[in-house]
Amino acid sequence: MNTTEPASPIARHDDPALLLAVRGMTCAACVNRVERALRKVPGVAQAQVNFATETASVVLASAADVPVPDAARLIAAIEAAGYQAQVQEADHPLADEHASWWSVWGAVCLGGLASVPLMLPMLWGDHHFWPAWVQFALATPVQFGLGARFYRAGWAALRDGSGNMDQLVALGTSAAWGLSVWLWWQHGLAPAVGAHSHAAGAMPPALYFESSAVVITLVLLGKALEARAKRQTTLAIRALQSLRPDTVRRLGPQGEVEVPLAQVLVGDVLVVMPGARVPSDGLVQDGSSHVDESLLTGEPLPVAKHVGDRLTGGAINAEGRLLMRVTAVGGQTMLAHIIRRVVEAQASKAPIQRVVDRVSAVFVPTVLGVALLTGVGWWLAGQAVDVALIRAVAVLVIACPCALGLATPAAIMAGTGAAARQGILIQDPQALEVAHRVQLVAFDKTGTLTQGQPRLLDWAVASDTGLSREEALQFAAALQRGSEHPLARAVLAAADGLSAEPLHAAQLRAVLGRGIEGVLPAMDADAVPAAWAGSWCLGSPRWMQELAAQGAPADVAEVATRWSADGATVSWLLHAPAVTRSGDASEAPAWQVVAALAFGDALKPGAAQAVARLHALGVRTAIISGDSRQAAQAIARQVGIQEVVAEVLPGDKADHIRRLQRDAQGHAVTVAMVGDGLNDAPALAAADIGMAMANPQGGTDVAMQAAGITLMRGDPMLVPAALEVSRRTSRKIWQNLGWAFGYNVIGIPLAALGGLNPMLAGAAMALSSVSVVSNALWLSRWRPQAAPEQAT
């Protein structure tokens, strides 16, 4: 085998796993069988199969000396186990999206046509049974025609040394059909036999042809209803997949040309007409409009877009004609990223599912043993062989492990789908599992609780410098040109109103967590006076204390203290005159504090309500911020947060998260971190669960990779909503497991004691799977609690 050119891209180590669509699984035991088949392939490090999504997620070993199996070899292993498989891209339309009605319900209809006549005499009275040959003619095509799938799958599992639901159905219905044929034969192929004939003479025994036919029909009905319900749990993915337009209008030398979306390249200019979907990610090059992003972010109101603003593929353009320049296509777009994350989350397993898998691995052999004991026990108790056998059949029929296989993944699919529709992107079931146990939520301040768009409120210049306010702002702006930091944009916006020509600093150097430094050379008097040439820096109070031995002048320090008490963020402007270096490496410029600048950032609507909602859920809150303690405490007071960790460097945020993960007594505390930018990525990764909040100014890509949950719009109310949907999903999982185990705990003993005939057992078995999936689908109605309207 050629290992240098795999047939399909294969995931290694931490890369996204290869997804395979698997068809033919009927219960949780099939899941274990497919996983075993994949893990036997050399080079497979991990294989997870999800019964509800019918997908297998495969990750390969990272050792260089292990041969890499291609996708064809993995598919061959699944097919050898008795199932069908094919590669499925995470963001590709789901395979069964266009399944015909007849392919789902045809077998059920045919089984019903044969089974209903067999059941009708039970309503008329026991002396109106059909002749035995009529019952045989109706039941046999159902048993060996429609039921052939159970024999094939059961035999394949038997060859593999495992058990599954198909074996239980095949054994149970075959026993009922075979017993009926034997009894018919024993009575001389009588033209008519009844369950309780009252005619003079011998009492003919009952035949059970109707049990075999009705059970198979009910099983097929249950699978059809189950398939229909499972498709409803994937509605969120299908809705996202439908957002891609098939064709786009590309602007070229020949004007507007309609081309397939697959031909669009990065850098192309596309025309987005009113009412059309944005075909890919890009930037507005010309025009203005409002764009509906609700299916992507959950934002109910259209968002205004102007030149330079970002557009996300799948959004709907409202009233204006837009020209956009494409920045991402295909699998690199935000829409593809969202679909991929939702599919991968639904395809992987929650921790509780692994426990269920271990139970299901021994379930079928246990049921076979119980059925054998039931039959032998009733026979030893003096019952006829046919009575003992039919009660063993009832045990086999009711003990279907389908519900066990569906309990957890159905709830996860419904929960993650409902969350995605509301703008909450849950990366994997582990994140869902942890989120419902969160005890403390730590917020970054800027861009998370506040708008992230600070403005320059005021600035003060030290009186002994002789520098004017306009000159101080001009020098500060020179340092910030080219920077994308929110405070830089605020300084530049304020400096736009100055009459002087803008200055540009040289040798700019950003100091992480502290500020920015640069050099303004001496030029003519209209530019930079010689007295003010040299090094300049603009940064945090911590940096000012580190650089300026003398500290801030009293007049500026007093104003800055008042600003901080009012909740403003204070930055300091420092200057060091140009010096003639003597070659001494230790020589450093003598920094002088020149001015202080005060920045203000408005709270986001709903920030205080989000914190109050978290407190109502029993969750503590904290702020971890690089701002001054006074500024952080002022925001904390406004929103109702008691715990404040301030003046923290970006690299130290993760350490503070780890401290919060232990209380004063040393007990573990489950901590969620909410942030919106690159500086928050270490803290998001260190927390038990990270929540990356979308920032319209960008910078959240790295944060999204480090986070378990992505909030697709900057609404603080999504934080408690994420915890709420996690808690509801967790409750649904346990409810479903209760349903699944409850049916078997009650049904198996009842059948063994003779309280259920095979038909009722078949109905209960079908109902168990349908009830589990239907219970999970209630999550689809979930909506997050909205923030109350602010009083005006």
Side-chain angles (χ1 to χ4, degrees):
M1 182 180 69
N2 181 3
T3 61
T4 61
E5 294 181 7
S8 176
I10 301 289
R12 275 191 179 274
H13 213 33
D14 295 328
D15 292 337
L18 173 74
L19 281 178
L20 299 174
V22 182
R23 298 292 178 262
M25 295 187 296
T26 57
C27 66
C30 296
V31 169
N32 296 322
R33 188 170 160 216
V34 175
E35 287 181 346
R36 283 201 307 270
L38 288 170
R39 288 168 183 160
K40 288 179 182 177
V41 178
V44 172
Q46 183 179 358
Q48 290 190 10
V49 177
N50 188 301
F51 180 42
T53 59
E54 297 184 308
T55 55
S57 177
V58 183
V59 178
L60 301 190
S62 58
D65 58 343
V66 177
V68 180
D70 59 15
R73 187 169 179 182
L74 300 175
I75 292 172
I78 295 174
E79 291 177 344
Y83 304 92
Q84 301 83 48
Q86 64 182 38
V87 176
Q88 177 173 314
E89 297 296 335
D91 58 348
H92 191 272
L94 301 179
D96 63 347
E97 183 176 4
H98 302 295
S100 67
W101 181 92
W102 181 253
S103 67
V104 177
W105 294 98
V108 178
C109 294
L110 293 176
L113 290 174
S115 300
V116 169
L118 291 172
M119 295 177 61
L120 286 178
M122 300 175 62
L123 304 177
W124 299 339
D126 51 11
H127 58 286
H128 287 298
F129 271 77
W130 299 108
W133 68 268
V134 174
Q135 297 182 54
F136 174 84
L138 289 171
T140 301
V142 176
Q143 181 68 44
F144 299 105
L146 302 180
R149 65 183 72 185
F150 302 114
Y151 290 101
R152 287 193 298 267
W155 173 247
L158 188 62
R159 284 188 306 169
D160 192 52
S162 61
N164 63 7
M165 181 210 76
D166 303 287
Q167 293 170 338
L168 299 180
V169 174
L171 282 174
T173 57
S174 297
W177 184 89
L179 176 62
S180 301
V181 171
W182 182 77
L183 291 172
W184 182 26
W185 181 265
Q186 284 293 100
H187 287 75
L189 302 179
V193 287
H196 301 287
S197 174
H198 299 292
M203 180 82 68
L207 299 185
Y208 302 99
F209 284 118
E210 79 284 347
S211 293
S212 69
V214 171
V215 165
I216 286 178
T217 301
L218 286 174
V219 173
L220 295 174
L221 174 63
K223 300 303 289 182
L225 292 172
E226 175 188 305
R228 178 178 179 272
K230 284 196 295 185
R231 279 196 297 276
Q232 292 182 28
T233 63
T234 63
L235 287 177
I237 297 175
R238 297 181 191 280
L240 289 170
Q241 290 172 339
S242 68
L243 299 184
R244 298 186 183 96
D246 295 326
T247 60
V248 299
R249 300 163 69 95
R250 185 167 60 191
L251 191 62
Q254 290 79 33
E256 296 180 18
V257 180
E258 189 166 315
V259 297
L261 178 61
Q263 295 182 10
V264 173
L265 302 174
V266 173
D268 284 352
V269 177
L270 306 181
V271 180
V272 186
M273 301 299 292
R277 290 198 180 277
V278 176
S280 192
D281 293 356
L283 299 173
V284 177
Q285 183 168 298
D286 185 55
S288 62
S289 183
H290 286 80
V291 173
D292 180 0
E293 300 176 338
S294 58
L295 277 176
L296 294 168
T297 67
E299 174 61 56
L301 299 177
V303 180
K305 298 291 183 180
H306 305 283
V307 173
D309 288 343
R310 299 185 178 197
L311 293 173
T312 304
I316 301 175
N317 183 24
E319 74 280 357
R321 180 179 183 271
L322 296 175
L323 292 183
M324 65 171 288
R325 183 170 296 278
V326 176
T327 59
V329 296
Q332 303 303 314
T333 63
M334 179 60 70
L335 177 59
H337 173 80
I338 293 172
I339 295 173
R340 187 161 52 247
R341 288 299 177 89
V342 175
V343 170
E344 289 172 356
Q346 294 187 347
S348 54
K349 290 184 180 180
I352 186 61
Q353 182 62 30
R354 298 186 179 94
V355 178
V356 176
D357 289 345
R358 288 196 291 269
V359 172
S360 64
V362 298
F363 187 82
V364 172
T366 302
V367 169
L368 290 173
V370 172
L372 179 62
L373 291 174
T374 298
V376 172
W378 280 105
W379 179 66
L380 292 177
Q383 291 290 336
V385 173
D386 59 325
V387 173
L389 184 58
I390 208 66
R391 288 178 179 172
V393 168
V395 172
L396 291 173
V397 170
I398 197 170
C400 171
C402 292
L404 281 178
L406 288 169
T408 300
I412 288 174
M413 290 171 68
T416 54
R421 285 193 292 272
Q422 301 302 322
I424 302 169
L425 186 58
I426 298 173
Q427 314 286 45
D428 52 51
Q430 284 76 12
L432 202 64
E433 180 81 8
V434 172
H436 82 272
R437 296 187 280 107
V438 165
Q439 299 165 277
L440 184 148
V441 173
F443 289 91
D444 176 49
K445 181 178 77 69
T446 304
T448 304
L449 292 172
T450 65
Q451 297 281 7
Q453 299 175 348
R455 57 191 180 90
L456 183 61
L457 301 177
D458 199 358
W459 67 100
V461 182
S463 58
D464 60 353
T465 62
L467 197 67
S468 69
R469 281 171 54 86
E470 183 171 312
E471 289 174 323
L473 182 58
Q474 187 181 19
F475 295 151
L479 293 172
Q480 299 288 25
R481 299 196 190 280
S483 173
E484 291 299 321
H485 193 281
L487 296 186
R489 289 193 291 269
V491 171
L492 293 174
D496 282 345
L498 297 179
S499 58
E501 288 293 324
L503 301 177
H504 296 272
Q507 303 177 35
L508 288 172
R509 181 176 69 95
V511 181
L512 186 63
R514 286 170 170 80
I516 192 166
E517 180 182 3
V519 174
L520 287 171
M523 299 174 65
D524 55 52
D526 294 332
V528 180
W532 295 113
S535 299
W536 288 82
C537 70
L538 179 64
S540 66
R542 176 196 292 263
W543 201 21
M544 183 269 290
Q545 293 170 0
E546 293 172 354
L547 295 177
Q550 301 300 322
D555 55 343
V556 177
E558 180 181 352
V559 175
T561 300
R562 186 171 67 251
W563 287 338
S564 295
D566 292 337
T569 297
V570 177
S571 292
W572 296 88
L573 182 64
L574 284 76
H575 170 247
V579 295
T580 302
R581 302 269 180 196
S582 63
D584 185 354
S586 63
E587 184 179 2
W591 292 100
Q592 174 189 6
V593 175
V594 172
L597 291 80
F599 299 91
D601 191 5
L603 276 178
K604 287 184 175 179
Q609 290 81 1
V611 171
R613 177 63 179 157
L614 287 170
H615 293 168
L617 293 173
V619 178
R620 292 161 43 212
T621 53
I623 285 180
I624 298 182
S625 174
D627 275 350
S628 68
R629 177 164 298 277
Q630 296 95 326
Q633 287 177 336
I635 293 295
R637 286 193 300 271
Q638 293 179 55
V639 299
I641 293 177
Q642 290 81 30
E643 300 180 50
V644 176
V645 181
E647 300 176 359
V648 179
L649 295 176
D652 296 336
K653 286 186 177 182
D655 294 332
H656 286 282
I657 288 291
R658 296 186 186 98
R659 293 190 186 99
L660 291 174
Q661 288 171 326
R662 293 284 172 182
D663 62 15
Q665 290 74 39
H667 300 140
V669 177
T670 305
V671 175
M673 172 69 191
V674 186
D676 76 323
L678 176 64
N679 292 343
D680 301 317
L684 292 171
D688 296 283
I689 183 71
M691 297 188 189
M693 182 176 287
N695 185 337
Q697 274 72 47
T700 57
D701 292 346
V702 175
M704 289 173 66
Q705 296 299 325
I709 296 176
T710 299
L711 310 178
M712 296 304 296
R713 65 182 189 274
D715 183 357
M717 285 297 292
L718 290 184
V719 176
L723 302 188
E724 182 184 351
V725 73
S726 171
R727 293 184 179 189
R728 293 197 179 204
T729 303
S730 179
R731 284 199 296 269
K732 286 297 180 184
I733 289 174
W734 287 105
Q735 289 171 8
N736 283 351
L737 290 174
W739 276 107
F741 282 109
Y743 271 101
N744 289 317
V745 168
I746 296 172
I748 291 177
L750 194 59
L753 294 173
L756 287 177
N757 63 40
M759 285 187 293
L760 289 177
M765 183 206 66
L767 184 61
S768 66
S769 296
V770 175
S771 61
V772 161
V773 180
S774 299
N775 183 52
L777 284 175
W778 280 99
L779 279 171
S780 301
R781 303 186 178 188
W782 173 81
R783 298 290 184 275
Q785 179 175 320
E789 293 291 335
Q790 298 280 348
T792 57

